[in-house]
Amino acid sequence: MPEETIFSKIIRQEIDTPLLYQDDLVTAFRDIAPRVDTHILIIPNTLIPTINEVTEEDELALGRMITVAKKLAEQEGIDEDGYRLIINCNKHGGQEVYHIHMHLLGGQPLGPMLSI
Ligand code: AMP
């Protein structure tokens, strides 16, 4: 079994992180250290450490993450101007928390896709 992260506690509401959205498959909440005006994390309720561990059984939850991102972008009023969705994987991807999460970033121009 993969080791739980702080995100499992957030899903179970064992710590005081307000949820923006939760259903049977996914949970969304604001990033604790926002890099831009709107910075939301959308995660599967099942602990999948990285994209490398994804299986076909996860397709429903991963698809739900996209539809929830769309709804939250509308709710935040950033859909028309646009936004970016990012999933980091492992060290080179810059992943810090080993529970898959999609960053929803927007509310301001985001600049070039990458700065290395
Ligand atoms: P990543 O580098 O893709 O693994 O991103 C992990 C993200 O999780 C970072 O943007 C952190 O600021 C964020 N984060 C870590 N702990 C928390 C927390 N307790 N609540 C909300 N966001 C968190």
Side-chain angles (χ1 to χ4, degrees):
M1 282 291 282
E3 198 174 324
E4 283 196 351
T5 74
I6 189 82
F7 289 178
S8 292
K9 289 190 166 58
I10 293 175
I11 291 165
R12 294 194 297 262
Q13 284 287 272
E14 290 170 5
I15 58 173
D16 193 19
T17 298
L19 302 184
L20 296 177
Y21 180 89
Q22 187 168 53
D23 63 21
D24 55 324
L25 293 174
V26 306
T27 298
F29 49 92
R30 292 193 193 280
D31 196 291
I32 201 168
R35 312 304 199 281
V36 289
D37 288 347
T38 301
H39 189 171
I40 292 169
L41 301 177
I42 304 159
I43 69 178
N45 293 341
T46 304
L47 171 49
I48 311 166
T50 82
I51 289 290
N52 289 339
E53 284 79 43
V54 161
T55 69
E56 287 179 7
E57 284 177 18
D58 303 316
E59 286 175 357
L60 202 55
L62 296 172
R64 183 71 58 83
M65 285 163 65
I66 299 274
T67 52
V68 168
K70 176 208 155 178
K71 283 179 195 155
L72 288 173
E74 283 171 8
Q75 200 173 293
E76 296 285 314
I78 62 172
D79 53 327
E80 289 300 321
D81 284 337
Y83 51 91
R84 189 171 292 161
L85 301 175
I86 296 176
I87 301 177
N88 295 320
C89 181
N90 275 343
K91 192 172 55 174
H92 282 193
Q95 185 171 2
E96 294 170 1
V97 179
Y98 283 79
H99 181 135
I100 286 180
H101 47 282
M102 177 182 285
H103 297 259
L104 166 58
L105 301 155
Q108 63 186 78
L110 297 174
M113 190 167 69
L114 289 175
S115 59
I116 297 174

